[in-house]
Amino acid sequence: MPERPQRIVVVGGGMAAVRLSEHLAGDDRFAVTVLADEASPPYNRILLSAVLEGTHAADALTLRSAEWYAEHGIDLRLGARVLEVDREAREVVLVDGQRVGFDRLVLACGSIPTLPPIRGLVRRDGTLDPRVHAFRSLDDCRRLDEATRMLVEAERGRATRPRAVVVGGGLLGLQVARALAVRGLLTEVVEGADHLLASQVGSGAGAVLARDLRRLGSEVYTGARAVRLTGDGLQLDNGYVLPSDLVVLAAGGRPSTALARRAGLMVRRGVVVDHTLISVTDDRVHAIGDCAEHRRRTTGFVPPAWEQAEVLARVMRGEEATYDGSRSVARLRATGLDVAVLGDPERAEGEVVEVTNPLAGSHRRLVVHGGRIVAAALVGDLSRVGLITQLYDRGTLLGPDEPGQLLLPEAADAPAPLPDEAEVCACAGVTAGEVRACGSVGECVDRTRATTGCGGCADGVRRLVEGSPTPVAVG
């Protein structure tokens, strides 16, 4: 008799879960079940701010349709919330009492928003103040979109503009702030650190971002914390009150680990896994994406989550594969703000090469160790990010003058075409040659998944498919 397929149960419907499904699709050795607790098919969370801004329709965020899962033999269950993991019985228990058996369990639970210690956010009946919005899911986005639309319509024709305060000056906070500003709200950002994007870039880059936001009409308050929400607005710890028709909580999140803790798995900040993404507690349980902790580090970005999904798929197929956790690429997608971060430019060891022009709104920083780029931060001008990413990924040995030359603006005359081996989509690891081999953008998306991460490479992919010689930026 033929051997029974391994039952793979994936808990979570985020971008890591989708990527793993893509890698396992069509392999008869596996029977894959994806338990997604939202009602919509898995979608691109990175582009939620684009939906809020109005540049993308909500249905355009869907990564794979429900029909795709069915066609590839994957059992996608929407609205399936997992209550418990019974490791002894090798079953997950849903809130409706159903039990789903597994041979291997993959926790891809993502992260959950943190509620900052601001008095007045929660009313006496336990509900949030109606002005307060989280921004983590498509439902959150729809609620905020509707609240924004109602405010703009109510204030139409009046002298005052509706006011929004975004709590958190990280990647998510800046995306939301720009989207609300584009929609017509007077938007302010409150960040407790001394500069914006403090987890990714230094004070020089943060100052450039703050200047750009102010130029675009958004005020920034750094080194300040929101402490109380009153009828007059959001009060800061310096006593200043920001009038607030909307308050968006974007002060980060934490790995979703409650399910793993209840199952008795080892959890620190995230679910602790080894170099093959297997739980150190149970070799039948894996974790990938935001909820996984590898070498005492968790990530909140798409590229490492997708890399983990690929490695795990290879491990499940019996191939030699390990995850070293060294590659980290982050992009900010927001109108008027361009940011790319490679590695950890503030903590990486090495010599720093830096160029800042706040008047032009640009900041470029390379960290070079042993002649190789080990980290980078680029704000404003991303014309060289594709080449820098390629050198960073390959560990290319540079001459003493090359790092400085990489930080100079592109020459205006006759730019050299991007070589086939240069990476264009950092999220999916897609090269220029792979894009050029496609006959259309749609074919490229389907074959390579380029543009389905942060979306920053969309223009570059289009130009490469069309054969344009114009330089393209990595996404």
Side-chain angles (χ1 to χ4, degrees), residues 354-429:
E354 196 168 37
V355 175
T356 301
N357 185 347
L359 296 179
S362 66
H363 173 90
R364 299 181 290 280
R365 176 188 179 99
L366 297 182
V367 183
V368 181
H369 184 71
R372 294 173 172 86
I373 298 172
V374 295
L378 306 171
V379 176
D381 181 3
L382 302 189
S383 60
R384 294 289 183 94
V385 69
L387 177 57
I388 291 172
T389 302
Q390 179 186 0
L391 298 172
Y392 164 72
D393 279 340
R394 294 185 171 187
T396 303
L397 187 64
L398 304 179
D401 296 330
E402 288 184 275
Q405 294 170 356
L406 287 169
L407 299 187
L408 297 176
E410 284 279 8
D413 55 336
L418 203 65
D420 281 348
E421 64 272 16
E423 189 174 79
V424 173
C425 177
C427 296

Side-chain angles (χ1 to χ4, degrees), residues 226-275:
V227 295
R228 181 191 294 268
L229 180 63
T230 70
D232 295 327
L234 193 64
Q235 181 180 332
L236 307 184
D237 56 2
N238 58 12
Y240 194 70
V241 176
L242 305 178
S244 314
D245 297 301
L246 282 180
V247 175
V248 183
L249 305 179
R254 55 185 174 83
S256 179
T257 58
L259 191 64
R261 288 183 187 278
R262 292 198 299 270
L265 300 172
M266 184 175 180
V267 175
R268 287 194 286 256
R269 177 169 171 79
V271 183
V272 181
V273 295
D274 65 12
H275 63 284

Side-chain angles (χ1 to χ4, degrees), residues 194-213:
D194 62 1
H195 64 273
L196 297 174
L197 284 191
S199 297
Q200 284 82 38
V201 302
S203 57
V208 168
L209 285 167
R211 184 186 178 101
D212 283 347
L213 278 170

